[in-house]
Amino acid sequence: MKTIIVPLNKEAQNALNYDSAKPEQLIELILTDSIFYTMFELNFFSKINELVDCNIDDFEDEKIITKHKIEIVLQNDSLFLMNHSVEINKIIERIHNLFKEAYFRNTGIYFYF
């Protein structure tokens, strides 16, 4: 399983960085391996990597913590308007919402893959 996390505030972000965050301090999305690999084949994460020069990949941990980079991802409408299965579209929408949460909470989005 793969997890995408947004800390609720700076305190939670600091705790997450020290692996001491409590579940109630985080917004989490867990992806099954099947969903992850489907999204990987669709180049969803590769497109984010290209946009903000990061390395979201299998067996990698990555974070996007600058407001500017989060904003770049949010401004790329085509990334979130992909037309796939209902299940994949819902996951993409949830990831979009996680980026929004990270932006408005001024924290970051963490990928534990």
Side-chain angles (χ1 to χ4, degrees):
M1 289 214 197
K2 316 296 185 189
T3 307
I4 304 172
I5 296 174
V6 173
L8 293 177
N9 54 41
K10 287 293 187 181
E11 180 184 331
Q13 186 171 18
N14 191 41
L16 183 62
N17 288 333
Y18 289 99
D19 200 26
S20 62
K22 297 180 174 109
E24 61 269 14
Q25 293 179 291
L26 308 170
I27 303 169
E28 293 183 294
L29 172 62
I30 297 173
L31 305 178
T32 64
D33 287 340
S34 173
I35 292 291
F36 170 77
Y37 290 117
T38 298
M39 293 182 70
F40 196 81
E41 289 172 9
L42 295 170
N43 293 317
F44 179 80
F45 298 112
S46 296
K47 290 176 184 176
I48 295 172
N49 290 340
E50 291 172 18
L51 285 171
V52 293
D53 192 31
C54 62
N55 187 29
I56 303 167
D57 200 356
D58 201 11
F59 304 108
E60 296 287 338
D61 292 343
E62 184 62 271
K63 59 187 174 188
I64 302 172
I65 56 174
T66 66
K67 197 162 192 166
H68 176 70
K69 286 186 176 185
I70 293 168
E71 188 173 30
I72 288 170
V73 173
L74 286 171
Q75 290 174 346
N76 191 303
D77 292 335
S78 64
L79 178 67
F80 299 107
L81 296 176
M82 302 173 113
N83 191 18
H84 302 289
S85 70
V86 172
E87 183 179 27
I88 295 297
N89 287 340
K90 284 182 181 180
I91 297 295
I92 290 172
E93 182 180 347
R94 290 193 60 201
I95 293 171
H96 188 209
N97 288 334
L98 288 174
F99 271 96
K100 288 178 184 177
E101 290 286 348
Y103 182 82
F104 290 115
R105 294 174 183 278
N106 200 28
T107 57
I109 185 164
Y110 294 71
F111 300 84
Y112 294 105
F113 291 173

